[in-house]
Amino acid sequence: MNIAIFVSGSGTNCENLIKYFAGHESIHPALVVSNKADAYALVRAERLGVPTAITPKADLNNPDVMLPLLKKYGIDFIVLAGWLPLIPNFLIDAYPHKIINIHPALLPKYGGKGMWGHHVHEAVKAAGETETGMTVHWVTPVCDAGEIIAQFKVALSPEDSVEDIAEKEHQLEMQHFPKVIEDILS
């Protein structure tokens, strides 16, 4: 099973996934795709020997670019790991129930357009939540609205800063995201 990991940022989840699946008998990170040429995730992937591709918006939204790229690497499954743009419908149609996303909150709370990274953690703090967590869900044409596959929670205290909340949530991602993917694909 060849997976493509789509990233937009630093790539800690991407690196964690590549390392987790290194030498796996049936799951192989075959490609890392970024919409940003300066995403540090590309450096992490290259250091670990995984091919990379940069797909700016025009390429992302072009089936004549994306579908041959994914076919070239024999991609069976797509993992969004810190990917910001919406996935175009043609990709969802080409990979039905084969694209998942990780979201840094307990959906349906704090999801949708503009709710990523620190924006989510700031909203969680401002609302005075007593817990936060991560959600893995299927990708649909509606942002953060796909069926939830798994959620993991962590307690918060009123003293937690936005940075503390982000770190607690990120630890859940590092611990659980690879195993969720493995469970889906096994």
Side-chain angles (χ1 to χ4, degrees), residues 23-85:
H24 194 280
E25 62 186 37
S26 60
I27 301 169
H28 174 67
L31 178 66
V32 171
V33 176
S34 181
N35 63 310
K36 296 181 177 184
D38 64 347
Y40 193 69
L42 297 170
V43 174
R44 292 177 192 268
E46 288 167 359
R47 285 182 182 159
L48 294 169
V50 177
T52 62
I54 300 163
T55 57
K57 189 173 186 173
D59 289 350
L60 172 65
N61 291 311
N62 184 344
D64 295 330
V65 172
M66 290 304 294
L67 295 176
L69 173 66
L70 297 173
K71 184 176 181 180
K72 175 182 175 181
Y73 291 93
I75 299 304
D76 303 300
F77 196 82
I78 299 171
V79 175
L80 309 184
W83 174 259
L84 297 180

Side-chain angles (χ1 to χ4, degrees), residues 1-6 17 21 26-33 66 69-71 73-81 87 91-92 94-102 136-139 147 149 177-186:
M1 182 76 65
N2 286 338
I3 63 171
I5 304 169
F6 283 34
L17 293 174
F21 291 114
S26 60
I27 301 169
H28 174 67
L31 178 66
V32 171
V33 176
M66 290 304 294
L69 173 66
L70 297 173
K71 184 176 181 180
Y73 291 93
I75 299 304
D76 303 300
F77 196 82
I78 299 171
V79 175
L80 309 184
I87 294 295
L91 268 183
I92 295 170
Y95 288 86
H97 225 66
K98 293 182 180 173
I99 306 174
I100 62 169
N101 182 45
I102 187 169
V136 180
H137 66 90
W138 294 107
V139 172
E147 177 187 351
I149 299 165
F177 195 31
K179 182 71 172 119
V180 170
I181 295 167
E182 188 174 37
D183 290 347
I184 292 168
L185 297 179
S186 293

Side-chain angles (χ1 to χ4, degrees), residues 9 52 86 120 124 132 140 151 156 169 173:
T52 62
L86 284 176
V120 173
V124 167
T132 192
T140 66
Q151 289 186 315
L156 300 176
E169 187 278 328
E173 293 177 358

